[in-house]
Amino acid sequence: GAGVSQSPSNKVTEKGKDVELRCDPISGHTALYWYRQSLGQGLEFLIYFQGNSAPDKSGLPSDRFSAERTGGSVSTLTIQRTQQEDSAVYLCASSIDRGPGNTIYFGEGSWLTVV
Amino acid sequence: AQSVTQLDSHVSVSEGTPVLLRCNYSSSYSPSLFWYVQHPNKGLQLLLKYTSAATLVKGINGFEAEFKKSETSFHLTKPSAHMSDAAEYFCVVSDNQGGKLIFGQGTELSVKP
């Protein structure tokens, strides 16, 4: 597609449920990133993929969070046993590859509310 | 370690007047620096980037930023504000391998008629 596509755009879930957030990067982009934007925390790096492997998972806040990428394209971020503090906008981004100065393009985000 | 400090959480200007959004960075190597804009309920859009070429960087919508190594600054400017410029602006530094972006806390720009 023309840009980074994320789904769902909005998700309300009950505390304790699992959620999956999907990201479809720009075609041909080998690097894919997940960030989280929440009040009081700003924008935080979660995980980075190069192809299907994740060399940097340092931003995942707990073992309830996991992500995978298949076929060097679509990625899924999974949050297990959601907590209220997981409420945030989850932003996916992609770039042609991982290199300093490469433009990173962001999707519009998945708004997650845990009630 | 890299970090970014946006000196103002909120800036208010009148339409047609200049815009200045301030950003200081800290980096142990020559940084890549970016400004992103986020309109309400929208994703992040790249305004401009600095990658060790020209120190004065021109971006979209009339914005520009100047990289000043001696001052460790990368302030964003625009000569004349437009109502459509009202948004949140983020100064960002990239790690030395690229990809892992470190965001400032953001500056909310309001534009008064």
Side-chain angles (χ1 to χ4, degrees):
Chain A
V4 178
S5 178
Q6 293 188 245
S7 61
S9 54
N10 283 283
K11 175 75 175 178
V12 180
T13 190
E14 292 181 351
K15 178 180 173 181
K17 301 278 190 182
D18 297 352
V19 296
E20 286 189 352
L21 307 176
R22 176 189 166 104
C23 172
D24 201 344
I26 293 172
S27 178
H29 281 194
T30 63
L32 185 147
Y33 318 86
W34 284 98
Y35 287 83
R36 178 169 74 172
Q37 185 175 25
S38 53
L39 286 175
Q41 296 295 323
L43 276 143
E44 307 169 275
F45 167 83
L46 297 178
I47 187 170
Y48 150 71
F49 286 92
Q50 181 62 47
N52 292 335
S53 65
D56 190 344
K57 307 178 185 180
S58 60
L60 294 177
S62 75
D63 59 7
R64 296 187 296 105
F65 287 73
S66 63
E68 65 174 12
R69 188 179 185 192
T70 55
S73 180
V74 172
S75 175
T76 303
L77 176 69
T78 301
I79 309 173
Q80 295 178 308
R81 306 180 302 283
T82 52
Q83 303 294 312
Q84 287 185 328
E85 61 263 29
D86 299 335
S87 296
V89 181
Y90 290 83
L91 292 166
C92 180
S94 71
S95 63
I96 190 72
D97 61 36
R98 189 185 195 189
N102 281 347
T103 298
I104 296 177
Y105 299 88
F106 283 83
E108 295 203 351
S110 290
W111 293 68
L112 175 65
T113 304
V114 181
V115 297
Chain B
Q2 304 83 252
S3 67
V4 168
T5 302
Q6 292 184 243
L7 300 171
D8 306 291
S9 59
H10 186 254
V11 170
S12 181
V13 301
S14 296
E15 191 175 20
T17 64
V19 175
L20 170 64
L21 305 183
R22 298 182 295 164
C23 172
N24 286 112
Y25 70 90
S26 174
S27 179
S28 54
Y29 49 81
S30 184
S32 293
L33 292 159
F34 308 79
W35 277 97
Y36 280 87
V37 61
Q38 187 176 36
H39 288 92
N41 300 319
K42 293 291 185 182
L44 291 158
Q45 181 184 19
L46 179 69
L47 277 179
L48 50 80
K49 66 179 181 182
Y50 166 77
T51 56
S52 75
T55 56
L56 181 62
V57 182
K58 294 188 184 298
I60 61 171
N61 300 334
F63 284 94
E64 61 181 40
E66 186 171 8
F67 173 73
K68 291 187 176 180
K69 186 176 179 179
S70 60
E71 298 177 8
T72 61
S73 70
F74 190 58
H75 301 333
L76 182 71
T77 60
K78 182 173 181 177
S80 176
H82 191 273
M83 295 297 291
S84 61
D85 294 329
E88 186 101 20
Y89 291 79
F90 293 94
C91 182
V92 183
V93 63
S94 172
D95 71 4
N96 63 341
Q97 294 178 300
K100 187 171 181 177
L101 301 179
I102 294 95
F103 284 79
Q105 288 298 97
T107 298
E108 184 180 355
L109 175 66
S110 300
V111 182
K112 299 174 290 187

